[in-house]
Amino acid sequence: MRSTRTTALLAAPLASLALLALAGCGGSAEDSKDGGKDGAGKPAAKPGATVSVRAADSSLGKILVDDSGRTLYGFTKDKPGAGKCDADCVAVWPALTSAKDVKAGAGTDAALLKETKLGEGAEQAVYGDWPLYYYVGDATAGDVNGQGLDGEWFVIAADGKLIKKAS
C-alpha cells in the first residue's frame, strides 16, 4: 500500500511538469525566439501587440530599429522579400515577427514595409527587399554588434539599403 501511495504522490508533480513542458512548445515565433524574452532580457512583444519599425541615429548613421530601439539587420543570402535563415541561423538571428501588421514609424517609408510568410500563420517583417532580423549579441538598444558579421549581416538604412561600412 505504501508504494502505491508513493507512486501517486510522485505522479501528480510529474504530470504537472509534463504539462508545463508541453505548454512551452506552443506559442508564436515571437514568444519562442528567446524564451519569451527579447535580447535585452525584457519580455517579448505580446501576441496581438502592435510592433513598429523606425529610423534611429547610430554610429553607422540612420538605421532601422524596433519600438524598443533594438537594431534590425538584413542577411545578404536572403532573396528579395524571402528569408533564407534556417533554424540554426534563427537561433542567433531571430526574425522580427508579429501577430499584427508591423507599422512604419518615424523616419521610415511605409511603402517599403511588407511582410512575408514564414510558415503556418507566422509572418516576418520585410523592409525594402530585406527580411528583418535581430542579433542575440545586441544586449541593449542601439547596439550594432552584428554589423558585418561573416560578411553577410548588415544594418538597414531608412532607404531600405544595407549599410556595409564597419561599426
Side-chain angles (χ1 to χ4, degrees), residues 28-47 66 68 70 90-91 94-95 97 134-136 138-139:
S28 70
E30 183 72 17
D31 293 337
S32 64
K33 74 178 180 194
D34 275 327
K37 303 281 183 193
D38 69 10
K42 297 176 186 167
K46 301 217 184 298
D66 72 359
S68 302
R70 292 183 59 211
V90 170
T97 60
Y134 296 104
Y135 175 54
V136 297
D138 287 346

Side-chain angles (χ1 to χ4, degrees), residues 26 53 115 146:
V53 173
E115 294 176 342

Side-chain angles (χ1 to χ4, degrees), residues 74-80 82-85 130 150 152-153 162:
F75 183 37
T76 59
K77 289 187 176 182
D78 285 346
K79 293 190 176 186
K84 292 290 183 188
C85 192
W130 303 106
D150 299 325
E152 299 173 335
W153 294 93
L162 297 180

Side-chain angles (χ1 to χ4, degrees), residues 15-88:
S16 295
L17 286 174
L19 287 173
L20 284 172
L22 286 174
C25 293
S28 70
E30 183 72 17
D31 293 337
S32 64
K33 74 178 180 194
D34 275 327
K37 303 281 183 193
D38 69 10
K42 297 176 186 167
K46 301 217 184 298
T50 301
V51 176
S52 68
V53 173
R54 62 181 172 86
D57 290 322
S58 78
S59 59
L60 298 165
K62 286 242 186 237
I63 64 170
L64 296 184
V65 299
D66 72 359
D67 296 316
S68 302
R70 292 183 59 211
T71 302
L72 297 166
Y73 296 88
F75 183 37
T76 59
K77 289 187 176 182
D78 285 346
K79 293 190 176 186
K84 292 290 183 188
C85 192
D86 62 18
D88 290 337

Side-chain angles (χ1 to χ4, degrees), residues 53-56 60-64 106-114 127-130 155-164:
V53 173
R54 62 181 172 86
L60 298 165
K62 286 242 186 237
I63 64 170
L64 296 184
T108 63
D109 183 347
L112 295 176
L113 188 60
K114 308 172 218 93
Y127 194 84
D129 289 335
W130 303 106
V155 297
I156 303 171
D159 65 1
K161 295 183 175 135
L162 297 180
I163 298 175
K164 293 191 174 181

